[in-house]
């Protein structure tokens, strides 16, 4: 990654007596597609609004190109936002909505028109200049909102759950398009969502947040494959999380058995948690595996079956394309690379 | 659900008798002369011809001038108030709006009398000035006293619709404008003001309607020489006894108002 | 972007609210004033609250205002709600039509609506009173209910009622159990609006009521003559009640609802039903009382023109009910009479009596039934307007003159200039004219040396020019009865007033004196007459006789301040209470003085029109 564009340093924010941000430290780089991911109330939107300038942090710093900007009003920042419900001006048509920022800068009319047309082309709305924004579909409004922000050529584009109001099919389509646009304009996108699939499929970097704190920062694969704690593991994808002990490097014990693994760097005999992704588990004959159990339930999910297997200590979830009849005795098999060991945390 | 459509019937009869017939009667009186008797109708344009005399035209002009002035003052003073109120928390907002509404419940005439006592030559304001050693000012029976009375009585009708449209406004639009580089002043003119237009139009219509047709406040605070359309109509019915001319003026007033209203509505629609 | 409001904007809010509440505050403060003054606070007292309780006129008006507001709210809410529901299911054309018609009373100026309704009621020959007022109030409240309920109905899922009926509800049940609860917010808002509109209404009530039925606004309006702090006491109570109700509604109710959410419901419903029932009983009760009183005498008199305690006395002595109503001017009285209202006894002025006689509105008085006629002053009898007093019995009498401040206006100027002092630029902007075409033209005609009863159009034109000239050079205020309060407070140096008002004003402000110019003035007589369609002829005669009684006449003239036509009362006042106030003794020896005569409609109209033009600058 290239140089740092935005640095958040020990950012805190209180609303009344409630602390919604508890010390956020985050570096955002040029041309990065960064996603703030977390459940509602985790502080991701507040973080975004502080970057945009709609909120002032209670403590900490926001550096933009190395300059502190937390007191700078939003209209003086080279940052633009795509709002959750688009916030298109109902009294202006598509053209005037997109040209709003340029108009304020007293840009020449013909230049504005040209730029707006180019933007409309990019978001696939050619010929929509004179349309009434209130009569557009959700997807179209979304595109106008993106065009309106991008036409100002900001250094950073902030997107606050921009796809939340769209239906599933258009969502998918827009995800692809957003990524394409980001590559095309080559600027930093900061994207807020609670949808882990969206986060994983679009981002360069995912920041998982919970309860006003950052849980993990990493690439989508890192986040998925190497969750740092139970919260991240639980929030991203489905998982079997099992408490266990790290006997020593490359050897972990849980459910009464010892398994080889690829993790190291923990203290010997440290209490840890293990994540086993359901799709990493294989169902085998009982005698071929250490962990054994009985099939309790099987649900057809389209691509795979979701099978619940009850063992002595817990119920495992398995995603597999193989059918297993309810009541059948089975074994659960997984390799050392399927075991993800993480620190044990209280609370979650 | 078809059964429910019959529910409208009582009101159709009611409205026909108590809304439509009175209007027809006004039209009938306006176009006849000497006719409180139904059998001896004389159709005539005379009542309208009479109206074209400069005196009566100047009454209309004066009413318009006063109506526009009152509306303007209510808008200029009421908009900031509505705007400030809409910035408070919801609890404070509903309290302040209540405070604005309460005076409307107190008899308008009583409040006007109180203004007479405040503004008269030996009234409260002048007594205060005297105590401060400033020479008294004549305020009663002037444009000033009439406008004070009108503004005090009608400003809530401006504030409430404007506040409603401001408080209904999506706050993210303001943020969006800010985000796109508009400073607070630009944000106000390009977004807030434009989006509060429906409230402004409503308020302007209400205040103008009320102030152009009022007759009690100008009579009490402006004296007998403060002749507006409302006073003219009232005097035709109550003291002159020329119901035909009175009806003709009422009709003209109603038509002017209706034209004004439809113009305002059109403006409102174009703004969208 | 929650920007905190700055100190400046907070100050602005406070200033605006201060502006709205200043008149209310003044009203409240002066309700506790020990004197009648509304500009000087002389001490704390509850006197006006005491008078409020004893003031029958005000308590009746409160009753009328409240009962009409409640009935109009209930009826217009029900009518408006079912109409709004019906509208949503109607064909488009019908819907548009009804909504357009419905908008008329909202968009039309109130005064136009009022006049339309007045014309309607008088063409239908309906007696103006409680019922006409109620109908009018329902008529202008219902459109507001419809406009606030209809949008709520329209936003309802059209399948809701179908779902209810699918589940076995009858259409009526679907309406009451599903639709109405869903739109109750709109209904409540509409009802609140209707109540406010009705309770506060003046203009419409003013035009459509009559026969003694008055709401608070009308009573207040009629009080201009002598602003009475009693009404301040009333409005203070109204303000307190409103604030208490609002506090209860905003603070206590939600708590109550939260604590006893569902259990309360049937009970509240029962309470509402009980309250409604009580109101109806009271309403019906009042109705029957009014219509039960075996003998009712309808008296129509000028405002503040009678000692009202005499009415109670008369009612007791003769076991009857007096419906007492007041008018602002003779013309207003005539308008009401012409629009078909019936009264038994009227107290109009001379010229109006002449007109009423000519137009056969009156019946001859049977003087045998009035033994007290011997009490009358000889000077007031047998005047031109009614030779031989066949139709009228003099009530008060006097002149029109100039009330002036002795410290400002010199006696010399008065003697030298007479009426023309009203054009003396020394007193520019320092005088009140009386807002009456007759009196103003009288002044101009007398100043020019003509008869005030002239029919000569040139003379009238000259007088008109005099008035226009005076208007342009002197900036006079054309005041109504508010001149009384203004002169007592010493606001201006001169005013044209009736001698009776002058007496009262001088008794309150010793700096003033009264002058009748040598060029002559109007001597006027107000007299009691009996209408042709009087239904209580004997009682009417007894009433006239009662007013001529020595003692009653004295208390009447004491209370009102006008000059009595009864000898003993006149002498008593002249030498007693009003000693030295010579306005009490009308100077009728000037041969140039005249009484107003009957004017042909054409001339009358001419004067009215010219007067309108004088005022409409």
């Amino acid at each position: 990654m290239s140089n740092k564009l935005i640095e958040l340093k020990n950012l805190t924010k209180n609303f009344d007596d409630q602390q919604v941000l508890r010390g956020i430290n985050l570096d955002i780089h040029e041309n990065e597609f960064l996603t703030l991911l977390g459940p509602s109330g985790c502080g991701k939107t507040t973080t975004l609004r502080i970057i945009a300038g709609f909120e002032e942090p209670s403590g900490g710093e926001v550096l933009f190109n190395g300059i502190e900007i937390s007191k700078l009003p939003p209209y003086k920042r080279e940052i633009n936002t795509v709002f959750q419900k688009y916030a298109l001006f109902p009294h202006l048509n598509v053209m005037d909505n997109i040209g709003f920022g340029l108009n304020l800068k007293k840009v020449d009319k013909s230049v504005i028109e040209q730029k707006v047309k180019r933007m409309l082309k990019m978001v696939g709305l050619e010929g929509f200049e004179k349309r009434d924004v209130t009569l557009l579909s959700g997807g179209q409004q979304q595109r106008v909102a993106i065009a309106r922000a991008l036409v100002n050529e900001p250094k950073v584009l902030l997107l606050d759950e921009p796809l939340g109001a769209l239906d599933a099919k258009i969502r998918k389509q827009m995800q692809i398009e957003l990524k394409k646009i980001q590559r095309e304009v080559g600027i930093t996108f900061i994207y807020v969502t609670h949808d882990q699939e969206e986060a994983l499929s679009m981002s360069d970097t995912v920041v998982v947040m919970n309860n006003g704190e950052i849980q993990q920062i990493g690439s989508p694969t890192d986040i998925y494959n190497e969750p740092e704690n139970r919260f991240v593991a639980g929030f991203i994808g489905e998982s079997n999380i099992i408490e266990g002990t790290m006997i020593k490097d490359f050897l972990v014990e849980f459910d009464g058995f010892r398994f080889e693994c690829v993790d190291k760097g923990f203290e010997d005999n440290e209490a840890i948690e293990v994540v086993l992704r359901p799709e990493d588990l294989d169902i085998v004959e009982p005698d071929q595996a250490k962990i054994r159990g009985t099939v309790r339930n099987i649900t057809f999910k389209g691509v795979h079956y979701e099978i619940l297997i009850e063992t002595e200590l817990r119920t495992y979830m398995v995603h597999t394309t193989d059918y297993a009849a309810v009541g059948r005795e089975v074994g659960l098999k997984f390799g050392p690379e399927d075991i993800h060991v993480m620190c044990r945390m209280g609370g979650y | 659900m078809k059964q429910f459509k019959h529910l409208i019937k009582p009101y159709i009869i009611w409205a026909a008798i108590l809304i439509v017939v009175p209007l027809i009667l006004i039209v009938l009186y306006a176009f006849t002369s000497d006719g409180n008797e139904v059998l001896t109708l004389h159709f005539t344009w005379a009542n309208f011809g009479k109206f074209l005399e400069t005196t009566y035209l100047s009454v209309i002009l004066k009413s318009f001038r006063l109506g526009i002035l009152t509306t303007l003052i209510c808008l200029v003073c009421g908009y900031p108030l509505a705007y400030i109120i809409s910035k408070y928390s919801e609890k404070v907002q509903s309290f302040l709006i209540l405070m604005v509404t309460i005076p409307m419940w107190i008899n308008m005439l009583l409040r006007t009398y109180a203004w007479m006592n405040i503004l008269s030559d030996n009234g409260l304001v002048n007594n205060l000035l005297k105590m401060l050693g400033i020479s008294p000012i004549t305020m009663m029976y002037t444009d000033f006293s009439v406008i004070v009375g009108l503004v005090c009585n009608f400003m809530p009708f401006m504030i409430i619709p404007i506040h409603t449209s401001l408080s209904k406004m999506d706050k993210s639009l303001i943020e969006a404008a800010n985000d796109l580089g508009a400073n607070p002043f630009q944000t106000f003119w390009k977004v807030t003001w434009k989006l509060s237009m429906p409230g402004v139009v409503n308020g302007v219509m209400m205040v103008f309607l009320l102030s152009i047709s009022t007759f009690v406040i100008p009579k009490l605070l402006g004296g007998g020489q403060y002749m507006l359309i409302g006073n003219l109509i009232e005097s035709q019915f109550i003291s002159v006894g020329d119901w035909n001319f009175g009806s003709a003026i009422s009709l003209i007033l109603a038509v002017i108002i209706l034209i004004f209203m439809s113009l305002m509505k059109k403006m409102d629609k174009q703004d969208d | 972007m929650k920007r905190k409001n700055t100190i400046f904007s907070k100050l602005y809010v406070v200033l605006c609210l201060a502006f709205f509440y200043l008149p209310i505050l003044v009203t409240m403060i002066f309700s506790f004033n020990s004197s009648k003054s509304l500009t000087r606070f002389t001490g704390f007292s509850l006197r006006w609250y005491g008078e409020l309780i004893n003031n029958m006129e005000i308590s009746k008006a409160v009753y009328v205002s409240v009962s009409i507001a409640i009935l109009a709210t209930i009826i217009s809410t029900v009518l408006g709600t079912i109409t709004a529901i019906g509208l949503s299911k109607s064909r488009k054309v019908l819907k548009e039509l009804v909504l357009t018609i419905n908008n008329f009373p909202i968009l039309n100026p109130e005064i136009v609506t009022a006049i339309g309704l007045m014309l309607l009621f008088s063409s239908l020959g309906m007696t103006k009173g409680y019922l006409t007022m109620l109908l009018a109030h329902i008529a202008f409240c219902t459109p507001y209910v419809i406009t606030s309920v209809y949008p709520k109905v329209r936003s309802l899922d059209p399948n809701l009622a179908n779902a209810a009926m699918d589940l076995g509800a009858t259409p009526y049940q679907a309406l009451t159990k599903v639709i109405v609860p869903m739109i109750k917010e709109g209904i409540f808002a509409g009802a609140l609006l209707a109540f406010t509109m009705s309770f506060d209404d003046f203009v419409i009530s003013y035009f459509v009521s009559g026969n003694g039925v008055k709401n608070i606004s009308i009573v207040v309006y009629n009080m201009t003559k002598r602003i009475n702090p009693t009404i301040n006491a009333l409005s203070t109570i109204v303000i307190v009640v409103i604030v208490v109700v609002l506090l209860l509604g905003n603070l206590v109710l939600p708590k109550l609802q939260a604590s006893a959410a569902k259990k309360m419901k049937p009970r509240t419903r029962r309470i509402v039903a009980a309250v409604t029932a009580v109101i109806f009983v009271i309403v019906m009760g009042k109705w029957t009382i009014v219509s039960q009183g075996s003998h009712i005498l309808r008296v129509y008199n000028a405002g503040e023109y009678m000692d009202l305690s005499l009415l109670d006395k008369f009612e007791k002595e003769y076991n009857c009910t007096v419906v007492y109503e007041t008018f602002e001017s003779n013309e207003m009285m005539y308008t009401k009479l012409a629009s078909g209202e019936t009264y038994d006894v009227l107290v109009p002025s001379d010229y109006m009596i002449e007109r009423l006689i000519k137009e056969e509105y009156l019946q001859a008085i049977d003087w045998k039934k009035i033994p007290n006629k011997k009490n009358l002053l000889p000077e007031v009898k047998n005047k031109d307007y009614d030779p031989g007093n066949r139709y009228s019995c003099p009530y008060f009498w006097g002149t029109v003159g100039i009330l002036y401040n002795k410290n400002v206006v010199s006696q010399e100027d008065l003697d030298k200039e007479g009426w023309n002092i009203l054009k003396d630029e020394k007193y520019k902007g320092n005088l009140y004219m009386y807002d009456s075409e007759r009196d103003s033209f009288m002044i101009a005609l007398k100043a020019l040396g003509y008869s005030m009863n002239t029919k000569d159009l040139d003379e009238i034109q000259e007088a008109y020019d005099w008035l226009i000239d005076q208007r342009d050079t002197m900036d006079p205020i054309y005041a109504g009865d508010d001149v009384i309060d203004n002169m007592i407070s010493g606001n201006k140096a001169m005013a044209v007033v009736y001698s009776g008002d002058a007496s009262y004003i001088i008794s309150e402000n010793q700096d003033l004196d009264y002058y009748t110019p040598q060029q002559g003035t109007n001597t006027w007589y107000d007299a009691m007459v009996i209408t042709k369609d009087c239904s209580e002829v004997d009682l009417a005669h007894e009433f006239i006789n009662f007013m001529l009684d020595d003692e009653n006449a004295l208390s009447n003239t004491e209370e009102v301040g006008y000059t009595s036509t009864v000898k003993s009362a006149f002498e008593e006042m002249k030498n007693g209470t009003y000693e030295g106030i010579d306005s009490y003794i009308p100077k009728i020896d000037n041969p140039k003085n005249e009484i107003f005569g009957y004017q042909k409609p054409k001339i009358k109209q001419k004067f009215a029109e010219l007067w309108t033009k004088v005022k409409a600058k």
Side-chain angles (χ1 to χ4, degrees), chain B residues 53 77 99 104 122 141 224, chain C residues 12 21 200 478 482 489 613:
Chain B
E53 287 175 39
C77 301
M99 291 295 284
M104 299 208 292
N122 274 316
Y141 305 114
Chain C
Y12 187 75
Y21 282 86
D200 237 16
Y478 300 101
D482 42 337
S489 314
K613 289 183 181 176

Side-chain angles (χ1 to χ4, degrees), chain B residues 156-180:
Chain B
F157 293 98
M158 182 69 83
I159 294 168
I160 288 164
I162 293 178
H163 172 261
T164 309
S165 65
L166 282 175
S167 64
K168 265 200 312 207
M169 205 166 68
D170 187 355
K171 296 278 179 292
S172 64
L173 291 175
I174 310 271
E175 289 181 352
N178 263 298
D179 186 76
L180 293 167

Side-chain angles (χ1 to χ4, degrees), chain C residues 234-479:
Chain C
L234 175 66
S235 48
T236 305
I237 293 173
V238 171
I239 293 162
V240 170
V241 167
I242 287 167
V243 169
V244 168
V245 166
L246 288 174
L247 284 181
L248 281 179
N250 281 357
L251 301 175
V252 184
L253 257 181
K255 273 182 202 162
L256 270 182
Q257 279 173 347
S259 65
K262 277 179 188 168
K263 280 180 192 167
M264 280 294 283
K265 269 204 173 155
R267 198 183 296 169
T268 36
R269 203 171 289 171
R270 237 173 285 149
I271 291 169
V272 170
V275 169
T276 327
V278 167
I279 290 160
F280 268 96
V281 167
I282 296 170
V283 170
M284 295 328 259
K286 276 276 179 175
W287 269 98
T288 45
I289 289 166
V290 171
S291 51
Q292 247 175 18
S294 49
H295 294 287
I296 301 167
L297 189 70
R298 292 170 205 277
V299 180
Y300 199 21
N301 193 1
E304 301 274 330
Y305 214 46
M306 186 180 286
D307 176 3
L308 295 178
S309 68
L310 289 176
L311 293 177
D312 294 337
K313 191 173 165 195
F314 181 76
E315 281 180 338
K316 282 204 191 86
E317 258 175 55
Y318 292 88
N319 189 26
C320 64
T321 308
V322 178
V323 174
Y324 184 75
E325 206 181 322
T326 58
F327 52 79
E328 233 196 339
S329 65
N330 280 293
E331 285 69 25
M332 182 176 160
M333 180 218 71
Y334 181 81
T335 305
K336 285 243 175 172
L337 214 56
S339 70
E341 268 173 57
T342 55
Y343 300 97
D344 299 312
V345 176
L346 311 171
V347 192
S349 299
D350 34 39
Y351 69 93
M352 186 52 73
I353 293 172
E354 200 178 339
R355 180 177 183 181
L356 293 176
I357 295 170
K358 278 214 169 69
E359 296 180 8
E360 301 189 336
Y361 276 103
L362 306 180
Q363 60 172 289
I365 292 176
D366 184 354
W367 284 101
K368 276 178 286 185
K369 291 182 183 163
I370 302 177
N372 282 340
K373 75 174 174 189
K374 61 177 193 310
N375 299 348
L376 281 171
L377 282 164
E379 295 98 304
V380 301
K381 287 195 269 194
N382 195 23
K383 295 293 173 187
D384 290 345
Y385 66 90
D386 179 20
N389 288 94
R390 286 191 55 215
Y391 294 93
S392 64
C393 171
Y395 180 74
F396 282 132
W397 61 306
T399 55
V400 175
I402 300 169
L403 182 72
Y404 65 99
N405 188 326
K406 288 182 282 191
N407 306 327
V408 182
V409 182
S410 75
Q411 180 76 36
E412 212 176 300
D413 284 347
L414 279 165
D415 285 334
K416 198 171 69 203
E417 296 175 308
W419 288 116
N420 283 316
I421 197 170
L422 298 173
K423 281 175 87 172
D424 187 336
E425 292 196 35
K426 246 192 277 178
Y427 309 111
K428 181 176 178 176
N430 210 1
L431 66 128
Y432 295 106
M433 290 292 280
Y434 198 70
D435 185 4
S436 137
E437 77 229 25
R438 278 185 173 264
D439 298 314
S440 300
F441 272 94
M442 181 278 287
I443 290 164
L445 287 163
K446 285 291 177 197
L448 294 163
Y450 301 134
S451 160
M452 65 195 216
N453 285 319
T454 184
K455 293 179 182 68
D456 185 331
L457 289 179
D458 292 337
E459 289 179 9
I460 294 172
Q461 184 63 36
E462 237 181 286
Y464 170 68
D465 293 339
W466 191 95
L467 287 169
I468 290 286
D469 186 40
Q470 191 226 7
R471 177 195 77 189
D472 292 342
T473 53
M474 299 294 288
D475 289 336
I477 305 294
Y478 300 101

